[in-house]
Amino acid sequence: MKSYQQAWALGAEIWSASSLFGEEAAGKALRAVERAESLAPGSLAATRARAWYEFRVSEDLSLALSLFQTAESMAPSDVDVLSTIGELQYRLGDFAEGSRTMRRAVFLDPRNADVHANLARLLRNRSMWDAANAVLDLSLIHI
């Protein structure tokens, strides 16, 4: 059962990211979320699936943040969740908290180039060029 639920949850994440391509992808994302939730209500994978749907499809950033924070409570060292929480905090206007959260993700997985890139992008968006470059330079050391 668990593998089916995880597969549906992953499908929901993928279709949510693809929702920019139209209503068909958004509909597939919602069906995948609902299936993941029906197979394992309240699980980490189902929570992540719903969070990605709310973030990418519904564009309800506050709800997505709340769901990702719930996911973080289930998996506190999940750097993908932490990085996404940081991005949502930033998008909701809290740069300081967003950058702290992203720095935690980098600290937890210094070899993860994606979390370095996400933090660098956040810093670049604030015109903090030197800090963004330093984060990218640091990622090259760890890769």
Side-chain angles (χ1 to χ4, degrees), residues 20-143:
L20 297 172
F21 300 118
E23 289 182 29
E24 182 181 354
K28 288 180 180 182
L30 180 58
R31 286 189 297 280
V33 167
E34 290 169 345
R35 185 70 175 140
E37 290 172 334
S38 73
L39 290 169
S43 69
L44 173 61
T47 301
R48 281 180 55 131
R50 174 61 69 178
W52 278 113
Y53 180 84
E54 298 302 337
F55 182 12
R56 298 288 186 209
V57 180
S58 297
E59 298 179 347
D60 185 337
L61 302 186
S62 294
L63 179 55
L65 176 59
S66 176
L67 288 164
F68 275 112
Q69 288 169 329
T70 299
E72 178 193 11
S73 72
M74 292 184 244
S77 61
D78 186 324
V79 296
D80 294 326
V81 167
L82 283 172
S83 185
T84 305
I85 288 171
E87 180 180 349
L88 286 163
Q89 290 167 326
Y90 171 73
R91 287 186 180 204
L92 289 166
D94 193 346
F95 168 76
E97 193 61 31
S99 64
R100 272 193 293 277
T101 302
M102 284 192 179
R103 287 177 197 279
R104 273 188 29 228
V106 168
F107 176 78
L108 287 171
D109 190 359
R111 294 179 185 259
N112 187 321
D114 289 336
V115 296
H116 281 91
N118 291 341
L119 175 57
R121 188 180 66 247
L122 182 141
L123 294 167
R124 186 194 66 222
N125 289 344
R126 296 288 292 208
S127 299
M128 299 173 75
W129 309 111
D130 291 339
N133 287 335
V135 168
L136 293 175
D137 289 344
L138 183 62
S139 74
L140 295 175
I141 291 170
H142 291 292
I143 294 178

